[in-house]
Amino acid sequence: MEKPQNGEKEEPKASLCGYDSLHRLLKDNLNPHHFQEVSRLLTGLNCGEALETIALPESATALSVVHGFDLQAFSFCADKELLREPRVVRVGLIQNSIALPTTAHFVDQKKAIFEKLKPIIDAAGSSGVNILCLQEAWMMPFAFCTREKRWCEFAEPVDGESTKFLQSFAQKYNMVIISPILERDINHGEVIWNTAVVIGNRGNIIGKHRKNHIPRVGDFNESTYYMEGNTGHPVFETAFGKIAINICYGRHHPLNWLAFGLNGAEIVFNPSATVGELSEPMWPIEARNAAIANSYFVASINRVGTEIFPNPFTSGDGKPAHADFGHFYGSSYVSAPDASCTPYLSRNRDGLLITDMDLNLCRQVKDKWGFRMTSRYELYADTLGRYVKPDFEQQVISDPLLHKKSS
């Protein structure tokens, strides 16, 4: 970025032209009518109307001011039905940067993250959040770019320190909490997994899901630490609805989204850690498309900040060694099955996004569009069944004149 001249203010790091989100940039630079029309195209309409904001308790807004985190709240509605009551669930998403430099003692790093998250979780709890989801590997720096094995020390059992920390909040606030951690499987050779632990609203562990798709792109060298998960596509029936977790890189795989939908998910969470140069143009599209195609809500969470590591590393692309992944751009948001979505949280600050969702909307959209009814699963199953066999042949019909020599 060029240095500011003629008295211009220097733009904050990782901002968009000085703004911390696209929504705020547009709102401040378009006249109200133009902004309304642009928002209609960018974020859609929910039941024909723009999303309404939610008034949160003063206790939550005060915490956001004191601790400097972005706090936004919106409401998705559904049409009123004659035979079913509304099924409104309040969902919270937390995005955050790490709390200490990666050179600090590992114990101090984890403890500092715990302390940083306490007021954000309290804000969610005091706002009546029913289901709370944290970002991918929230209890550590996202060190998988380095290929250094010492970061494995952050791995812990499903019922380990991070789970115990969150169980107290789940009980206190009657809140389901999704906790994506680096798991060490004590019972199976201490193998490491990228895992989301689902904690029930009574503090119990409902279950876990392990990341299905592991990236091998750019600095994302995650298969140095863990491999593809072995838990399938589970849907967890909680006190507040049926939920699933599509961890990070799984969002690039449409069949992964589909499988959670076939198993009955009403909300799919996508806890992530992704950087701007690699994926930011894809971020607004994939989760929103999944919500539309599968008639469920999608909650997308991305961490924030630039994490600098002690030793430079390379990406196998011929570029010089570097000590950071790039900027984790936050921008967490929620997508609805009717193609509407919330504005994003900040791309450079910690944040809490709260949304009310009427889960009746899922069935209403299924009835309207008929995607389940018009799908051809038997055709897809046949093609996939043939594709996974070694003797698979592509169904290609060539023009008979394509390779014929002209006379």
Side-chain angles (χ1 to χ4, degrees), residues 162-218:
S162 297
T163 297
K164 288 180 171 60
F165 167 73
L166 294 174
Q167 282 175 312
S168 61
F169 290 101
Q171 290 177 307
K172 179 180 179 180
Y173 292 115
N174 189 37
M175 184 165 58
V176 171
I177 301 180
I178 300 166
S179 173
I181 65 169
L182 190 64
E183 177 201 355
R184 187 176 294 279
D185 187 355
I186 301 299
N187 293 331
H188 295 89
E190 300 190 291
V191 170
I192 289 176
W193 305 94
N194 185 318
T195 300
V197 181
V198 181
I199 302 169
N201 56 307
R202 297 181 181 180
N204 57 306
I205 297 175
I206 297 176
K208 65 177 181 289
H209 173 58
R210 291 168 173 161
K211 186 173 181 175
N212 277 335
H213 298 277
I214 308 302
R216 289 121 171 129
V217 54

Side-chain angles (χ1 to χ4, degrees), residues 245-264:
I245 307 101
N246 185 2
I247 303 173
C248 197
Y249 193 69
R251 73 180 176 278
H252 305 305
H253 296 268
L255 292 181
N256 208 42
W257 291 110
L258 172 65
F260 291 118
L262 295 180
N263 280 328

